[in-house]
Amino acid sequence: YAMAAQAYLHRFGGTRVDLAEVAVLAREWALLNPKAFRHEAGALTVDDVTGSTMISSPLAAGDCCLVTDGGGAVVLTTRERARDLPRPAVRVLGYGEATSHASMVACDDILDTGAAQSAARAYARAGLTPADIDVVQVYDSFTITVLLSLEALGLAAPGEAADLVRSTDVRPGGRLPLNTTGGGLSYCHTGRYGMFALLESVYQLRGKAGARQVPDLNVSIAHGPGRQFAAAGTVIMGNTL
Protein backbone atom coordinates (compact mmCIF):
# COMPACT_ATOMS: atom_id res chain seq x y z
CA TYR A 1 0.00 0.00 0.00
CA ALA A 2 2.88 2.36 0.67
CA MET A 3 4.26 1.61 -2.78
CA ALA A 4 0.87 2.42 -4.31
CA ALA A 5 0.68 5.63 -2.29
CA GLN A 6 4.16 6.65 -3.40
CA ALA A 7 3.30 5.96 -7.03
CA TYR A 8 0.03 7.89 -6.76
CA LEU A 9 1.62 10.98 -5.23
CA HIS A 10 4.42 10.90 -7.80
CA ARG A 11 2.10 10.51 -10.77
CA PHE A 12 -0.36 13.21 -9.79
CA GLY A 13 1.94 15.59 -7.91
CA GLY A 14 0.29 15.03 -4.53
CA THR A 15 1.66 15.24 -1.01
CA ARG A 16 1.19 13.45 2.31
CA VAL A 17 -1.39 16.13 3.15
CA ASP A 18 -3.65 14.69 0.44
CA LEU A 19 -3.53 11.33 2.19
CA ALA A 20 -3.98 12.82 5.66
CA GLU A 21 -7.21 14.56 4.66
CA VAL A 22 -8.80 11.12 4.27
CA ALA A 23 -8.12 10.32 7.93
CA VAL A 24 -9.34 13.75 9.01
CA LEU A 25 -12.60 13.20 7.15
CA ALA A 26 -13.04 9.76 8.71
CA ARG A 27 -12.68 11.23 12.21
CA GLU A 28 -15.24 13.91 11.44
CA TRP A 29 -17.81 11.19 10.73
CA ALA A 30 -16.67 9.10 13.71
CA LEU A 31 -17.55 11.97 16.04
CA LEU A 32 -21.18 11.42 14.97
CA ASN A 33 -21.01 7.68 15.66
CA PRO A 34 -21.08 6.73 19.35
CA LYS A 35 -19.94 3.20 18.47
CA ALA A 36 -16.79 4.43 16.75
CA PHE A 37 -13.53 3.38 18.41
CA ARG A 38 -12.21 6.94 18.08
CA HIS A 39 -15.49 8.66 19.02
CA GLU A 40 -14.11 10.07 22.26
CA ALA A 41 -10.71 10.97 20.80
CA GLY A 42 -11.90 14.29 19.44
CA ALA A 43 -11.18 15.98 16.12
CA LEU A 44 -8.14 15.01 14.07
CA THR A 45 -5.92 17.43 12.17
CA VAL A 46 -3.69 17.02 9.15
CA ASP A 47 -0.69 17.74 11.38
CA ASP A 48 -1.78 14.95 13.73
CA VAL A 49 -1.68 12.49 10.85
CA THR A 50 1.50 13.66 9.13
CA GLY A 51 3.24 13.95 12.50
CA SER A 52 2.37 10.42 13.62
CA THR A 53 4.94 7.62 13.58
CA MET A 54 6.12 6.75 10.08
CA ILE A 55 5.26 3.15 9.21
CA SER A 56 6.28 2.85 5.56
CA SER A 57 6.80 6.05 3.59
CA PRO A 58 4.59 7.87 2.78
CA LEU A 59 2.16 6.12 5.15
CA ALA A 60 2.34 7.06 8.83
CA ALA A 61 0.37 5.49 11.67
CA GLY A 62 -2.44 7.98 11.12
CA ASP A 63 -2.82 6.71 7.55
CA CYS A 64 -3.40 3.13 8.74
CA CYS A 65 -6.62 1.49 9.82
CA LEU A 66 -7.44 0.46 13.37
CA VAL A 67 -7.12 -3.06 14.77
CA THR A 68 -10.28 -3.89 16.75
CA ASP A 69 -12.69 -6.66 17.56
CA GLY A 70 -16.16 -6.69 16.04
CA GLY A 71 -18.54 -8.60 13.84
CA GLY A 72 -21.43 -8.30 11.45
CA ALA A 73 -23.87 -10.31 9.37
CA VAL A 74 -26.35 -9.81 6.57
CA VAL A 75 -29.40 -11.86 5.60
CA LEU A 76 -30.39 -12.30 1.96
CA THR A 77 -33.86 -13.30 0.82
CA THR A 78 -36.26 -12.85 -2.09
CA ARG A 79 -38.01 -9.58 -2.83
CA GLU A 80 -41.38 -11.25 -2.18
CA ARG A 81 -40.32 -12.51 1.25
CA ALA A 82 -38.70 -9.18 2.10
CA ARG A 83 -42.01 -7.37 1.64
CA ASP A 84 -43.49 -9.35 4.54
CA LEU A 85 -40.65 -8.67 6.99
CA PRO A 86 -41.25 -6.47 10.06
CA ARG A 87 -38.29 -4.19 9.29
CA PRO A 88 -37.73 -2.28 6.05
CA ALA A 89 -35.62 -4.27 3.61
CA VAL A 90 -32.88 -2.98 1.34
CA ARG A 91 -32.61 -4.11 -2.25
CA VAL A 92 -29.40 -5.26 -3.92
CA LEU A 93 -29.51 -3.35 -7.19
CA GLY A 94 -26.24 -4.57 -8.65
CA TYR A 95 -22.88 -6.04 -7.79
CA GLY A 96 -19.55 -6.75 -9.45
CA GLU A 97 -16.28 -8.45 -8.64
CA ALA A 98 -12.93 -8.62 -10.37
CA THR A 99 -9.41 -9.94 -9.99
CA SER A 100 -6.77 -8.08 -11.95
CA HIS A 101 -3.53 -9.85 -11.02
CA ALA A 102 -2.11 -12.57 -8.79
CA SER A 103 0.41 -10.41 -6.93
CA MET A 104 2.00 -6.96 -6.94
CA VAL A 105 4.94 -8.18 -9.00
CA ALA A 106 2.57 -9.42 -11.71
CA CYS A 107 0.81 -6.14 -12.47
CA ASP A 108 1.93 -3.70 -15.13
CA ASP A 109 0.65 -0.69 -13.18
CA ILE A 110 0.19 -0.78 -9.41
CA LEU A 111 -2.49 1.90 -9.69
CA ASP A 112 -4.52 -0.03 -12.28
CA THR A 113 -6.61 -2.25 -10.02
CA GLY A 114 -9.58 -4.54 -10.50
CA ALA A 115 -11.80 -1.98 -8.80
CA ALA A 116 -12.75 -0.19 -12.01
CA GLN A 117 -13.92 -3.51 -13.45
CA SER A 118 -15.95 -4.51 -10.40
CA ALA A 119 -17.54 -1.06 -10.29
CA ALA A 120 -18.42 -1.12 -14.00
CA ARG A 121 -20.12 -4.49 -13.58
CA ALA A 122 -22.08 -3.29 -10.55
CA TYR A 123 -23.27 -0.15 -12.35
CA ALA A 124 -24.26 -2.16 -15.41
CA ARG A 125 -26.29 -4.66 -13.38
CA ALA A 126 -27.99 -1.85 -11.46
CA GLY A 127 -28.62 0.22 -14.58
CA LEU A 128 -27.09 3.19 -12.78
CA THR A 129 -24.12 5.54 -13.09
CA PRO A 130 -21.87 7.26 -10.55
CA ALA A 131 -24.18 10.27 -10.74
CA ASP A 132 -26.96 8.19 -9.14
CA ILE A 133 -25.04 7.44 -5.94
CA ASP A 134 -26.20 9.21 -2.76
CA VAL A 135 -23.79 7.81 -0.15
CA VAL A 136 -20.45 5.97 -0.39
CA GLN A 137 -18.91 3.32 1.87
CA VAL A 138 -15.41 2.21 0.87
CA TYR A 139 -12.89 0.02 2.63
CA ASP A 140 -10.27 2.40 4.05
CA SER A 141 -7.50 0.01 5.04
CA PHE A 142 -5.13 2.92 4.42
CA THR A 143 -5.74 6.48 3.31
CA ILE A 144 -4.49 5.73 -0.21
CA THR A 145 -7.14 3.02 -0.55
CA VAL A 146 -9.88 5.62 -0.40
CA LEU A 147 -8.37 7.85 -3.09
CA LEU A 148 -7.88 4.95 -5.50
CA SER A 149 -11.36 3.57 -4.78
CA LEU A 150 -13.13 6.88 -5.38
CA GLU A 151 -11.48 7.16 -8.77
CA ALA A 152 -12.16 3.52 -9.67
CA LEU A 153 -15.82 4.00 -8.77
CA GLY A 154 -16.03 6.93 -11.17
CA LEU A 155 -16.78 9.39 -8.37
CA ALA A 156 -13.62 11.37 -9.09
CA ALA A 157 -11.42 11.67 -12.16
CA PRO A 158 -7.88 10.21 -12.03
CA GLY A 159 -5.78 12.32 -9.69
CA GLU A 160 -8.76 14.32 -8.41
CA ALA A 161 -9.96 12.19 -5.48
CA ALA A 162 -7.93 14.27 -3.02
CA ASP A 163 -9.81 17.39 -4.11
CA LEU A 164 -13.10 15.60 -3.52
CA VAL A 165 -12.02 14.48 -0.03
CA ARG A 166 -11.01 18.03 0.89
CA SER A 167 -14.35 19.41 -0.25
CA THR A 168 -17.55 19.75 1.77
CA ASP A 169 -19.26 17.34 -0.66
CA VAL A 170 -18.22 14.23 1.28
CA ARG A 171 -18.68 15.64 4.78
CA PRO A 172 -21.84 15.81 6.92
CA GLY A 173 -24.43 17.75 4.97
CA GLY A 174 -22.60 17.27 1.67
CA ARG A 175 -23.96 15.88 -1.58
CA LEU A 176 -21.93 12.65 -1.46
CA PRO A 177 -21.26 11.55 2.14
CA LEU A 178 -18.27 9.22 2.41
CA ASN A 179 -17.64 6.50 5.04
CA THR A 180 -20.30 7.76 7.39
CA THR A 181 -19.34 5.43 10.27
CA GLY A 182 -15.82 6.81 10.52
CA GLY A 183 -14.50 3.88 8.50
CA GLY A 184 -11.64 1.56 9.28
CA LEU A 185 -9.56 4.60 10.17
CA SER A 186 -11.72 5.75 13.08
CA TYR A 187 -14.71 3.39 13.54
CA CYS A 188 -13.41 -0.18 13.62
CA HIS A 189 -11.38 -2.69 11.67
CA THR A 190 -11.69 -6.39 12.41
CA GLY A 191 -9.67 -7.54 9.42
CA ARG A 192 -12.65 -7.76 7.06
CA TYR A 193 -14.02 -4.24 6.97
CA GLY A 194 -16.12 -4.88 3.86
CA MET A 195 -18.90 -6.26 6.05
CA PHE A 196 -19.20 -2.93 7.84
CA ALA A 197 -19.44 -1.07 4.53
CA LEU A 198 -22.43 -3.27 3.66
CA LEU A 199 -24.00 -2.80 7.09
CA GLU A 200 -23.69 0.98 7.00
CA SER A 201 -25.30 1.03 3.57
CA VAL A 202 -28.26 -0.85 5.06
CA TYR A 203 -28.50 1.42 8.11
CA GLN A 204 -28.39 4.53 5.97
CA LEU A 205 -30.97 3.26 3.49
CA ARG A 206 -33.26 2.26 6.35
CA GLY A 207 -32.91 5.70 7.93
CA LYS A 208 -31.49 4.15 11.10
CA ALA A 209 -28.04 5.75 11.29
CA GLY A 210 -28.74 8.22 14.08
CA ALA A 211 -26.78 11.47 14.16
CA ARG A 212 -24.85 10.52 11.03
CA GLN A 213 -27.99 9.80 8.99
CA VAL A 214 -27.89 11.11 5.43
CA PRO A 215 -31.27 12.64 4.51
CA ASP A 216 -33.26 11.89 1.38
CA LEU A 217 -31.08 9.10 0.00
CA ASN A 218 -32.08 6.30 -2.35
CA VAL A 219 -28.86 4.60 -3.46
CA SER A 220 -25.71 3.53 -1.62
CA ILE A 221 -22.52 1.96 -2.93
CA ALA A 222 -20.23 -0.28 -0.87
CA HIS A 223 -16.81 -1.15 -2.20
CA GLY A 224 -13.82 -3.11 -0.99
CA PRO A 225 -10.43 -3.90 -2.54
CA GLY A 226 -8.25 -6.72 -1.31
CA ARG A 227 -5.06 -8.69 -1.90
CA GLN A 228 -2.94 -5.56 -2.40
CA PHE A 229 -5.41 -4.13 -4.93
CA ALA A 230 -5.53 -7.42 -6.87
CA ALA A 231 -9.22 -8.11 -6.16
CA ALA A 232 -12.27 -5.96 -5.65
CA GLY A 233 -15.99 -6.19 -4.95
CA THR A 234 -18.68 -3.55 -5.41
CA VAL A 235 -22.33 -3.67 -4.25
CA ILE A 236 -25.00 -1.08 -5.06
CA MET A 237 -28.12 -1.01 -2.88
CA GLY A 238 -31.39 0.88 -2.85
CA ASN A 239 -34.21 1.48 -0.39
CA THR A 240 -37.10 0.55 -2.70
CA LEU A 241 -38.34 -2.96 -3.37
Side-chain angles (χ1 to χ4, degrees):
Y1 286 86
M3 289 176 67
Q6 200 74 273
Y8 184 89
L9 298 182
H10 174 75
R11 182 172 302 178
F12 297 111
T15 70
R16 289 184 59 209
V17 170
D18 296 318
L19 300 172
E21 290 284 4
V22 176
V24 171
L25 169 65
R27 182 65 58 83
E28 188 170 337
W29 280 108
L31 297 180
L32 299 177
N33 180 7
K35 292 185 177 180
F37 190 78
R38 298 296 190 195
H39 177 71
E40 304 299 332
L44 189 70
T45 69
V46 167
D47 288 343
D48 291 334
V49 180
T50 58
S52 61
T53 303
M54 181 59 66
I55 302 300
S56 183
S57 181
L59 301 179
D63 293 289
C64 304
C65 63
L66 301 168
V67 178
T68 71
D69 290 332
V74 295
V75 176
L76 295 174
T77 187
T78 64
R79 186 186 306 180
E80 290 71 23
R81 178 71 183 88
R83 288 176 174 144
D84 295 329
L85 296 176
R87 294 183 180 181
V90 167
R91 183 181 175 189
V92 177
L93 302 175
Y95 70 92
E97 56 186 296
T99 300
S100 56
H101 52 274
S103 70
M104 289 175 62
V105 297
C107 61
D108 295 327
D109 183 352
I110 196 172
L111 301 183
D112 183 12
T113 73
Q117 299 172 42
S118 71
R121 291 165 183 163
Y123 286 130
R125 285 191 171 105
L128 299 173
T129 72
D132 297 307
I133 302 301
D134 296 315
V135 63
V136 185
Q137 313 295 338
V138 300
Y139 186 175
D140 53 344
S141 49
F142 301 91
T143 50
I144 183 58
T145 316
V146 174
L147 299 184
L148 290 176
S149 294
L150 288 172
E151 295 175 12
L153 293 173
L155 301 172
E160 296 183 5
D163 291 335
L164 176 60
V165 168
R166 276 193 297 269
S167 74
T168 58
D169 290 347
V170 293
R171 300 175 189 276
R175 66 172 182 83
L176 191 67
L178 170 65
N179 284 358
T180 50
T181 60
L185 291 165
S186 273
Y187 167 41
C188 76
H189 189 279
T190 64
R192 295 291 181 271
Y193 183 80
M195 172 58 69
F196 298 97
L198 293 172
L199 291 176
E200 181 66 3
S201 287
V202 172
Y203 297 148
Q204 287 287 347
L205 290 167
R206 280 180 169 174
K208 301 296 184 181
R212 65 184 188 277
Q213 179 64 49
V214 176
D216 305 320
L217 78 160
N218 297 300
V219 180
S220 176
I221 192 166
H223 175 78
R227 294 186 59 205
Q228 292 78 48
F229 301 110
T234 308
V235 180
I236 299 174
M237 288 173 271
N239 57 7
T240 58
L241 292 179

